[in-house]
Each structure stands twice: as C-alpha cells, then as structure tokens.
Amino acid sequence: MSDTTTSSDEELMRQVAERGSHAALSTLYARHHRSLLHFFYRGLGDSEQAQDFLQELFLKLAERPERYEAGRSFRTWVLTIAANMLKNEYRRRSVRARPLPQLSQTYALLDDEASDRSLWAEALQAGLQELSDAHREVILLRYQQELSLREIGEIVQCAEGTVKSRIFYALQHLAARLGRKP
Amino acid sequence: MQVSHNMFDDWEDLLLHKTYSQLSEAERAAISEAEYAALRALLHETRATLQANDLLEARPETLPLVQARLARTRWRLRLARVGNYHLPLWQVAAAVALLLVLLWGIERPGGGAVPATALLTDSTSYDTAFHQGVNLHEDSVFARFVQEAM
C-alpha cells in the first residue's frame, strides 16, 4: 500500500475513485473533517445537525467517488457539495419555517471589554445566523475555509465582483449586529 | 455606513494590513476612522474565530461508517475499471456465462451421456402415440419379421 500521508488531496481522491482505497479516504477524512464539520456548524447553527451533515457528505463521497472530476481541486469540489447541502437545508427550512437556534445573550451589549473568546464566538455565530444564506455562505468560504475569490465564485456560481460585494455587505451587517465599538 | 465596496477595490487587503493612518487621502475620505476601525477589528476577529475549528469533535463512528460504505462501493469500482480497459461489459458477461455452462457440464456425473430430459421426451412421445391409437407394434419391422416367420 502506498504512503498516503504525503500525497495531494487530488491524488488521494483519484485512488479512492479508481480503487476504493480505504487508506486514501482515511487520510482525506483526517485532513478535512474538522474544517468541514465547523463549516456545517457555522452554516447551520446546530452541532448535531452539523455532525449528520459531515457524515452524509463523506458517505456520498464513499458511495460515488467516481463523481470527482479529475484535475479539479479537491477542496473546491468537496466544498461545492457541502455548500449545496447547506442550500438544500436552507430551502427546506424556509418551506417548513423551522426556527433557527435561539441564543441567550444580547450581543448588542458586546463591546471591547468583552474579550471572552467564547462569548465572541457565540456572538459571531448568532450574527452569522442572521445573515442571508448567500452572505453567510461567502463569509464562511472566505474566512473559515480561506478560499480565493475565484474559488468562491466557482462554488457559488457568480462573478468575483459579486463575491466581493457580498462579503463586504455581510461584514457591514455583522459589524452593525455585533455592536462592535471602535 | 456610507462607504461602498466600490470605493475600495482592495478593501479587504486594506482592512487586513493597514491602519487608518496608513490609508491614502482618497481612502480616508471614503470612510471615517471609527467605521474603519470597527470593520478592521471585526474582520480580524471573524477570521480568527472561524479558523479556530476547535468547538466540535466529529463522532467516532463516522469514519467507520464511511469506510464500510466504501467497502460496498468497491465491487462497482472494480467493474468500472474493466470498462477502462475497453472491454465492453456484455462481452465480459458472455464470457462468464459460457464459463459457467462449461463448468456445469464438466461437474455433472456421467458427463457425456444423453441428458435425462432427452430420455424422458422419447418415452413420452411413444406413450402419446400409443394412446392415440397408432399401433407401433404392427408397423414395426419386428412385427413384420414375426409375421414372415410364421
């Protein structure tokens, strides 16, 4: 069995798609599961549902690995799937009018003295849930996944300029919502 | 907030790397120091928080479940690889079917004998003809042989 730890994501995914390599899939899981789990959590605001989504994503990958398009960035590909899963969930929620998780804190009170990171993280999570789906998506892809504007444009299927303006307006909304005082 | 993203072509780069005092005159005219500082703090803290990825641990059963699913997928992937060697699947299926037929014939006891179904068919046809009134005994060469002898 070849050493998978030094192989690129794309090479590993090719091994999964062609041979069903368990070692390659394990390495991909080890590299990306944490980031994807938090991507889902930030997008959904629900840790249990985020766990379910992570499992579903990798099950899809194991079930149909040949859908990976050789030559495409693995991260962009897998994040496209993840983003589509979130979009479907948002659509389902809007149909069922499912309420988003409510948070107990009044974050407008948050100011520079409130330096507690967990409080800030919770406040940010609340702010993210208030963003529109499109704005939340680009914020996560840019600052949680650190993708380039071009990669984000590829995933959300819009121009880089649109991505940039969405990020900007999302940040403005967060700034207003979180009451961050200079 | 009056500032528009159109005023900053590289606004994100500015927010990440420059303080308000480092901005050009034109850039400072587009945004107040307070707004700039608020956005800058927000951007830095948002990035730091989102990249921490330390809030949750994946369920331990997730990876084994995924591996089990991949194990079930493997046979299909291997079959697909046959296609990659330009062997049409119908030809492979036909070869397997032929092999099975041959194996079945070899493994039967008394391999070269007339099949049991053939014997049954002959017997049945005789009985059917007899019951329909045709006397095979009178027409047979054996019956004529007996009459000539008498």
Side-chain angles (χ1 to χ4, degrees):
Chain A
M1 189 176 290
S2 61
D3 180 20
T4 58
T5 54
T6 54
S7 302
S8 68
D9 289 346
E10 290 72 25
E11 169 59 21
L12 292 172
M13 194 56 221
R14 194 184 60 75
Q15 290 176 21
V16 176
E18 288 184 1
R19 303 202 305 262
S21 166
H22 283 242
L25 186 61
S26 292
T27 306
L28 283 172
Y29 182 84
R31 285 182 190 171
H32 297 285
H33 81 274
R34 186 175 286 272
S35 158
L36 287 165
L37 177 61
H38 284 79
F39 178 73
F40 284 131
Y41 174 61
R42 297 297 186 187
L44 297 164
D46 182 331
S47 60
E48 279 305 301
Q49 202 175 17
Q51 297 277 7
D52 292 342
F53 272 53
L54 177 74
Q55 184 170 304
E56 190 186 328
L57 172 63
F58 274 94
L59 286 176
K60 282 177 194 228
L61 206 145
E63 180 119 10
R64 292 277 175 191
E66 70 274 20
R67 286 188 180 169
Y68 170 66
E69 301 156 27
R72 189 174 178 189
S73 154
F74 172 77
R75 271 192 81 212
T76 310
W77 178 69
V78 83
L79 280 167
T80 303
I81 300 172
N84 284 335
M85 289 171 70
L86 285 184
K87 276 180 196 161
N88 289 338
E89 175 61 15
Y90 297 150
R91 210 170 293 133
R92 197 180 66 83
R93 282 182 178 182
S94 67
V95 170
R96 294 188 182 184
R98 175 180 167 168
L100 290 167
Q102 295 298 308
L103 293 160
S104 56
Q105 304 283 345
T106 305
Y107 298 107
L109 298 177
L110 189 67
D111 60 21
D112 280 357
E113 284 84 45
S115 57
D116 181 1
R117 290 217 69 79
S118 65
L119 187 58
W120 163 253
E122 204 179 343
L124 178 61
Q125 185 65 25
L128 284 172
Q129 297 310 311
E130 290 188 353
L131 292 177
S132 71
D133 299 339
H135 284 170
R136 187 185 314 113
E137 181 179 47
V138 291
I139 286 285
L140 292 179
L141 291 171
R142 182 65 169 166
Y143 300 122
Q144 199 249 339
Q145 295 292 331
E146 293 190 285
L147 295 184
S148 69
L149 296 175
R150 186 189 57 76
E151 289 171 318
I152 297 172
E154 190 182 325
I155 290 172
V156 304
Q157 296 184 321
C158 66
E160 285 183 32
T162 309
V163 173
K164 198 185 278 192
S165 66
R166 281 184 189 174
I167 293 171
F168 187 80
Y169 287 121
L171 282 178
Q172 277 189 316
H173 181 93
L174 284 175
R177 174 66 179 85
L178 298 178
R180 204 75 182 156
K181 294 172 185 169
Chain B
M1 196 170 289
Q2 295 84 32
V3 65
S4 158
H5 73 280
N6 294 322
M7 298 177 190
F8 292 94
D9 198 32
D10 297 313
W11 59 267
E12 190 184 52
D13 192 49
L14 290 177
L15 287 169
L16 285 174
H17 301 112
K18 287 190 176 181
T19 61
Y20 190 76
S21 59
Q22 292 172 314
L23 298 182
S24 68
E25 282 289 321
E27 288 162 349
R28 277 205 293 265
I31 188 169
S32 73
E33 185 170 5
E35 286 173 324
Y36 186 82
L39 269 181
R40 190 158 192 263
L42 178 82
L43 183 55
H44 280 280
E45 294 202 39
T46 299
R47 285 183 79 208
T49 304
L50 291 181
Q51 286 170 22
N53 290 341
D54 56 359
L55 294 174
L56 304 171
E57 289 292 334
R59 292 176 188 142
E61 66 267 25
T62 299
L63 183 57
L65 278 172
V66 170
Q67 295 287 27
R69 181 67 59 90
L70 183 63
R72 291 212 300 269
T73 307
R74 266 184 154 175
W75 67 268
R76 191 172 47 73
L77 294 174
R78 286 177 179 157
L79 205 59
R81 287 185 78 194
V82 173
N84 290 341
Y85 291 117
H86 307 292
L87 289 175
L89 282 181
W90 72 266
Q91 285 185 6
V92 176
V96 170
L98 182 63
L99 188 65
L100 287 174
V101 167
L102 288 173
L103 285 173
W104 179 75
I106 290 168
E107 286 178 2
R108 274 187 59 250
V114 179
T117 48
L119 287 171
L120 184 65
T121 304
D122 286 353
S123 169
T124 306
S125 71
Y126 174 83
D127 288 345
T128 305
F130 183 77
H131 288 301
Q132 284 175 347
V134 178
N135 190 339
L136 291 176
H137 293 291
E138 289 179 2
D139 296 337
S140 72
V141 289
F142 298 106
R144 282 201 298 276
F145 175 77
V146 173
Q147 286 170 356
E148 287 168 7
M150 289 175 70

